[in-house]
Amino acid sequence: ANSSSIDTGAKITSTAFTVEMWLNPTSIESGDNVVFAQDIGGDKGRFNIVPRGNGTLFAQVGDNSFAPSCSLAAGEWTHIAFVRNERGEARLWVNGAPLTNWTLFNTNALAASDIVLGRQHRNKGTGFNGLMSDVRVWSVARGEDEIVADMGRRLGGRETGLVSYFRLDEGGENPPRDAVRAVAGAFVNGACWAHDATFPDRMARIVDARKERALEKAVAERIADLALVPPRINVNPLPDYDYDRLDYA
């Protein structure tokens, strides 16, 4: 598996947090394909997001984890988001839609290591093969509406709760840069820039489809709400008609 990565110099230090990113795998290896890690082996706060070759998306905080079915298609962009709230409940979203229910994990402080994009430092053969863009780290548990509203647009870097933001669009000889902290990260073991001209269009199609589904859901819920409104009975009698006096001429 790939052993290249990006060292960010950033850390998640809050109980509640959200991690978002766009991924486009070149291939999904048979084992682990780590895309995001703040990890120390055995630590009660080790945090990893890992697409796996068996068609699942594994996410872990300490000893708690889930791995719902989710096959990332090679050559296709996919948006993923992991959220943990103040109660220690965790949830995954894919392309703006919930992939899991809220699941009780823990409120453990995350491992005291820097965030690494693309693999784990301690397991060099666990890397991700493919493209990555727009990695965002928030110190709040973002809601579905917030994720959907922002997943298709570039941020300014000063949004409330945003603590690290790697656009990964610098290119050239420039290192990857955190737009919030104004600090440069570093490429490791051959990680490099790659340009995909189709990304904006594919991202827009995914976002538009998600917003259309959200509108359909809102309409359906409104119809359901109306169906639950108790019927009102008309207590006013109908007018009396004197059919004998109607003139049909």
Side-chain angles (χ1 to χ4, degrees):
N2 194 3
S3 61
S4 60
S5 62
I6 297 174
D7 285 355
T8 68
K11 289 183 178 69
I12 299 172
T13 59
S14 55
T15 300
F17 66 89
T18 301
V19 172
E20 302 179 64
M21 65 182 68
W22 284 93
L23 301 172
N24 183 349
T26 302
S27 63
I28 296 293
E29 302 296 324
S30 58
D32 291 347
N33 301 259
V34 178
V35 295
F36 190 103
Q38 185 169 327
D39 177 273
I40 295 174
D43 192 278
K44 292 184 179 298
R46 62 191 185 279
F47 173 51
N48 294 281
I49 301 175
V50 188
R52 285 179 164 170
N54 62 2
T56 60
L57 181 57
F58 174 82
Q60 166 194 41
V61 179
D63 294 331
N64 298 97
S65 64
F66 44 36
S69 295
C70 179
S71 296
L72 300 185
E76 294 292 333
W77 285 97
T78 301
H79 182 270
I80 66 172
F82 176 92
V83 180
R84 185 178 76 172
N85 62 26
E86 291 284 353
R87 297 184 297 275
E89 299 165 327
R91 198 173 193 184
L92 275 169
W93 277 262
V94 172
N95 289 337
L99 184 63
T100 65
N101 294 320
W102 286 108
T103 303
L104 184 61
F105 270 28
N106 54 66
T107 56
N108 298 346
L110 296 197
S113 60
D114 291 344
I115 296 166
V116 178
L117 304 179
R119 72 174 177 92
Q120 292 174 333
H121 268 318
R122 61 188 175 91
N123 291 319
K124 294 185 178 180
T126 59
F128 173 70
N129 289 308
L131 305 177
M132 184 181 297
S133 186
D134 235 59
V135 180
R136 307 167 181 187
V137 179
W138 306 78
S139 61
V140 294
R142 304 200 86 208
E144 182 174 335
D145 290 345
E146 294 172 306
I147 292 170
V148 173
D150 291 336
M151 61 187 272
R153 70 181 186 90
R154 288 294 169 93
L155 303 180
R158 296 184 177 181
E159 287 76 7
T160 301
L162 186 66
V163 293
S164 279
Y165 181 28
F166 288 86
R167 295 189 179 100
L168 302 181
D169 63 354
E170 290 84 356
E173 299 297 322
N174 301 301
R177 191 169 183 82
D178 187 335
V180 176
R181 300 180 303 125
V183 174
F187 288 132
V188 178
N189 291 338
C192 61
W193 298 117
H195 178 65
D196 181 4
T198 69
F199 176 52
D201 180 59
R202 292 185 181 184
M203 178 177 65
R205 288 205 304 268
I206 291 170
V207 172
D208 289 346
R210 179 66 190 95
K211 289 183 177 178
E212 184 176 343
R213 289 195 297 272
L215 177 60
E216 291 172 351
K217 178 183 176 183
V219 171
E221 289 174 346
R222 177 60 178 158
I223 292 172
D225 289 342
L226 291 174
L228 294 174
V229 175
R232 290 181 295 176
I233 299 174
N234 182 13
V235 296
N236 297 318
L238 294 173
D240 293 328
Y241 291 98
D242 190 346
Y243 293 100
D244 291 340
R245 298 184 180 182
L246 291 178
D247 185 359
Y248 294 96

